[in-house]
Amino acid sequence: MKRPARMSNGFTLVELLVVIAIIGILVGLLLPAVQAAREAARRMSCSNNFKQLGLAMHNYHSAYKQLPIHGVGTGSPDGGAAPFGTTAATTNWWTNYGDSNAWRLSALIGLTPFMEQQALWDEISNPSFVDALSPGTPLSVAWPPMGPTVQFIQYRPWVTEIPMLRCPSDPGVGLPAQGRTNYAACLGDSMEWSVRGPKQHQAAQGGEVVANSGWAQRSLAADRGTFVPHKDSKFRDILDGLSNTIAFGEILTDLGDRDTRGTQSINGNPPNEIRLNPSYCIDNNQIDPDRPRYWAPATPTENANNGRGFKWADFRPNFSGCHTILPPNAPIGGGNNSGQTGMFPPSSRHQGGAHILLADGAVIFITDSIEAGDPHHEMVWQTPTDPTSSPGSQSPYGLWGALGTRASRETIQEQLNQ
């Protein structure tokens, strides 16, 4: 008599391998969708941060009848001692003395009480005895109101990261940055004079900035953005319309990887090369042909602690400013150091573009392919002998350049917020 065949309740090896393969394929198909959904959420969060910044800007204007000054500060009175400075008035505006901020503070500082950072503003606007390197030990002599120059890492506000100023898609964190920002003031479609403005710092006069006729003439010609260094601006100055003018642009922060958007190339005769040809770095083979998002190995770049967006409190364009010359995510066109004027396009870790904040408070995502005119055209600046770049000229950088100017009377025919 035959024995009945025994029934198996388990999987065969082949069946198990087939199931595992199917699961692997499904996971492979699902992961990109999950990653895309996460990035979409981060991008929406970034947009929301920008909207909050726009509300802060409008509330500031309602309170003070002007926009916060980009390049604001206080003088250096005699006897204004600081823990790491001097008891006398500063006599050199670029020294490391701690009794003056040298009028190098960004517009973001004035917005802090309007973006739920009242405690931080109180510490900035009053004498502070806190040493950020040793917070448990009060200083014997206070930092002055409005703080020292921004390079002092001992001053706690300057190394404080403000969540509302950070894009969730940007992974940059910590040193050598001193408080990163992903949002920067729009300085217009020309880099000429955008680190100086119409006034000159005078250490001999108590550290004040005073009007300079030559500087004012060059600034009036070239500083065409919503924000002008060392000068107050109002919504009434934006003759092109608040809905047609960029107030802030998104920027990524440097990761120390020689990304062309995160650190600037160093050129020998700033700012002439870039001012005369915004594509100078590209035309002179400063970009790695095998990795076009990075500088070539032989290209000198900025010092490690002067990366893009590294100092939210510093008004210099490298840290908290942007231009509408080359389109978003184009390479930075740098001078010989971060203190010199350079060309700094908006940028982001989002795919294909970057956010901008219009002066009316609207947030728009601008793609890298926006119409941006002639990338080799000389910038507009004070040069009476050259009619192609004379003051009042139409922006040579197309729709993108027109969005960056506040009063060039250029008609915007595109629907930006579709």
Side-chain angles (χ1 to χ4, degrees):
M1 182 175 167
K2 288 186 176 181
R3 288 173 127 187
R6 191 168 66 179
M7 301 295 294
S8 174
N9 295 324
F11 291 104
T12 66
L13 179 60
V14 173
E15 290 172 331
L16 185 60
L17 291 176
V18 169
V19 170
I20 292 174
I22 293 173
I23 293 174
I25 292 173
L26 291 176
V27 170
L29 294 172
L30 184 61
L31 278 179
V34 172
Q35 292 171 344
R38 287 177 174 172
E39 169 54 25
R42 290 192 292 265
R43 180 169 150 178
M44 185 176 296
S45 178
C46 176
S47 175
N48 184 64
N49 286 343
F50 236 165
K51 289 179 181 178
Q52 297 303 315
L53 187 63
L55 287 174
M57 176 181 68
H58 277 259
N59 287 335
Y60 184 101
H61 195 281
S62 295
Y64 298 109
K65 312 308 177 189
Q66 68 175 57
L67 293 169
I69 297 176
H70 194 64
V72 73
T74 51
S76 174
D78 193 24
F84 304 92
T86 175
T87 57
T90 297
T91 57
N92 184 343
W93 81 287
W94 207 256
T95 59
N96 289 339
Y97 293 153
D99 60 340
S100 169
N101 47 54
W103 291 82
R104 281 169 48 187
L105 306 185
S106 77
L108 296 171
I109 291 177
L111 294 178
T112 51
F114 297 92
M115 52 189 190
E116 305 298 332
Q117 293 292 332
Q118 183 65 45
L120 182 62
W121 169 251
D122 288 342
E123 184 170 349
I124 294 172
S125 58
N126 291 286
S128 171
F129 289 89
V130 177
D131 180 356
L133 299 181
S134 182
T137 305
L139 296 167
S140 57
V141 181
W143 295 108
M146 301 308 295
T149 46
V150 181
Q151 69 264 31
F152 276 91
I153 62 174
Q154 299 95 335
Y155 187 62
R156 186 167 64 180
W158 296 166
V159 295
T160 298
E161 291 249 337
I162 301 176
M164 206 186 87
L165 297 180
R166 296 307 317 277
C167 169
S169 293
D170 191 305
V173 65
L175 295 173
Q178 292 180 216
R180 298 174 188 246
T181 178
N182 290 109
Y183 309 117
C186 181
L187 304 173
D189 67 339
S190 177
M191 72 183 206
E192 167 76 356
W193 236 242
S194 61
V195 77
R196 294 180 176 89
K199 299 179 181 180
Q200 186 175 17
H201 185 276
Q202 297 288 343
Q205 300 186 30
E208 299 293 333
V209 287
V210 297
N212 180 301
S213 179
W215 284 34
Q217 186 177 22
R218 298 185 72 162
S219 178
L220 285 172
D223 293 335
R224 314 201 304 175
T226 297
F227 291 91
V228 177
H230 305 314
K231 181 180 179 181
D232 59 340
S233 301
K234 302 175 175 63
F235 282 150
R236 71 178 185 188
D237 300 329
I238 305 176
L239 302 180
D240 289 350
L242 301 185
S243 61
N244 297 323
T245 306
I246 298 173
F248 285 88
E250 183 180 4
I251 61 173
L252 56 74
T253 67
D254 183 34
L255 301 180
D257 56 1
R258 293 175 63 85
D259 190 316
T260 58
R261 305 165 298 169
T263 186
Q264 66 190 75
S265 61
I266 302 299
N267 298 294
N269 187 24
N272 292 338
E273 301 101 338
I274 310 298
R275 181 177 60 194
L276 298 177
N277 176 16
S279 297
Y280 174 87
C281 299
I282 301 172
D283 295 345
N284 285 269
N285 303 314
Q286 295 185 358
I287 296 174
D288 191 337
D290 296 324
R291 304 171 71 226
R293 187 62 82 185
Y294 298 88
W295 295 114
T299 302
T301 58
E302 182 54 89
N303 294 331
N305 64 340
N306 285 328
R308 187 80 162 121
F310 268 16
K311 303 175 184 180
W312 72 274
D314 196 319
F315 89 106
R316 288 177 289 176
N318 188 41
F319 300 122
S320 64
C322 65
H323 300 101
T324 58
I325 302 168
L326 295 187
N329 290 309
I332 291 172
N336 66 355
N337 60 63
S338 63
Q340 293 289 341
T341 301
M343 178 193 63
F344 298 98
S347 54
S348 81
R349 304 288 178 186
H350 309 304
Q351 185 66 33
H355 289 104
I356 61 168
L357 172 68
L358 297 175
D360 67 352
V363 178
I364 308 295
F365 189 79
I366 297 294
T367 65
D368 300 345
S369 59
I370 186 173
E371 195 277 305
D374 182 359
H376 297 88
H377 197 287
E378 178 182 357
M379 298 177 196
V380 174
W381 58 299
Q382 181 62 42
T383 169
T385 60
D386 184 355
T388 64
S389 62
S390 61
S393 298
Q394 179 177 330
S395 177
Y397 308 116
L399 171 63
W400 180 235
L403 286 170
T405 58
R406 67 183 181 276
S408 292
R409 301 302 177 95
E410 296 174 276
T411 302
I412 304 298
Q413 301 184 54
E414 299 287 337
Q415 182 64 38
L416 299 174
N417 57 347
Q418 292 181 354

